[in-house]
């Protein structure tokens, strides 16, 4: 829960310009809505990341801590400049497939049991599904992303090609 809270919170800190342009996103971003400051958002995000890292190390040991650290890094790098994978075409999809896909699933699998061949196949499926969700989100946000100079894969290849790519991924996942 702390990991997911961190990724959404840190994303809110750096999506203010884009989220102020969309009523539904504005409702979900307390920084863009003016309820808290960026500084408060960054402190809150850092506290969640640190607490999650500490508890993971204390409860689950070094292997899961390393995986959790990787999740925190990728979740942060997706939103935080200068890396901001969200604004790097193709990297937005690939990183999302890991930090909201396979690696998050593998963290749960390793916490409760062993990694099997079946679990790896499920992880691949979850990664592909994560790409599908990310493409869908970026297609929905195309106008706001274009206006705010957020260079997603969808902005890079265009709206029509992105819809075709989404359909291809849906077919492949099915």
């Amino acid at each position: 829960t702390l990991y997911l809270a961190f990724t959404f919170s840190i994303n809110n800190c750096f999506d203010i310009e884009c989220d102020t342009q969309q009523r539904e996103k504005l409702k979900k971003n307390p920084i863009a809505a003016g309820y808290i400051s960026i500084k408060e958002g960054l402190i809150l995000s850092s506290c969640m990341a640190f607490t999650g890292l500490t508890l993971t190390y204390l409860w689950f040991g070094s292997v899961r801590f390393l995986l959790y650290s990787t999740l925190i890094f990728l979740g942060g790098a997706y939103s935080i400049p200068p890396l901001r994978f969200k604004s790097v075409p193709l990297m937005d999809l690939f990183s999302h497939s890991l930090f909201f896909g396979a690696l998050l699933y593998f963290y749960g699998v390793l916490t409760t049991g062993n990694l099997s061949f079946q679990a790896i196949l499920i992880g691949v499926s979850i990664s592909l599904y994560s790409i599908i969700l990310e493409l869908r989100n970026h297609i929905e946000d195309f106008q706001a992303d274009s206006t705010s100079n957020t260079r997603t894969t969808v902005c890079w290849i265009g709206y029509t090609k992105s819809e075709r790519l989404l359909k291809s991924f849906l077919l492949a996942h099915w």
Side-chain angles (χ1 to χ4, degrees):
T1 305
L2 287 168
Y3 167 72
L4 293 174
F6 163 75
T7 56
F8 283 108
S9 177
I10 200 69
N11 191 59
N12 282 344
C13 293
F14 296 96
D15 267 6
I16 297 166
E17 186 178 340
C18 187
D19 289 352
T20 56
Q21 298 177 32
Q22 297 174 294
R23 188 177 308 212
E24 285 303 311
K25 298 265 178 155
L26 186 61
K27 291 178 188 176
K28 297 175 186 175
N29 187 337
I31 300 166
Y35 297 124
I36 64 172
S37 70
I38 294 173
K39 182 179 179 182
E40 291 168 324
L42 290 171
I43 290 169
L44 179 64
S45 300
S46 299
C47 288
M48 286 185 279
F50 179 76
T51 303
L53 286 165
T54 302
L55 292 174
T56 297
Y57 183 76
L58 293 174
W59 288 341
F60 302 121
S62 58
V63 173
R64 288 168 199 90
F65 174 77
L66 183 61
L67 185 54
Y68 194 86
S69 298
T70 303
L71 285 165
I72 291 291
F73 169 76
L74 289 172
Y78 179 81
S79 297
I80 303 170
L83 294 177
R84 193 155 164 81
F85 293 155
K86 182 178 186 171
S87 293
V88 179
L90 301 180
M91 189 57 131
D92 56 346
L93 302 179
F94 179 70
S95 64
H96 200 273
S97 78
L98 294 175
F99 78 85
F100 259 143
L103 292 181
L104 185 57
Y105 169 72
F106 291 148
Y107 175 78
V109 168
L110 289 173
T111 300
T112 59
N114 294 322
L115 196 60
S116 65
F117 180 71
Q118 181 182 14
I120 291 170
L121 290 178
I122 292 169
V124 169
S125 176
I126 291 171
S127 258
L128 187 54
Y129 186 63
S130 181
I131 290 172
I132 289 167
L133 293 176
E134 182 71 344
L135 262 173
R136 186 206 63 198
N137 287 343
H138 286 316
I139 287 170
E140 289 174 1
D141 295 345
F142 177 73
Q143 199 64 36
D145 286 341
S146 295
T147 306
S148 67
N149 292 321
T150 305
R151 195 166 184 248
T152 64
T153 297
V154 173
C155 292
W156 182 55
I157 66 173
Y159 190 88
T160 304
K161 287 181 183 175
S162 296
E163 284 185 319
R164 278 185 266 165
L165 182 62
L166 176 61
K167 289 175 186 173
S168 298
F169 274 117
L170 283 166
L171 186 61
H173 190 257
W174 183 75

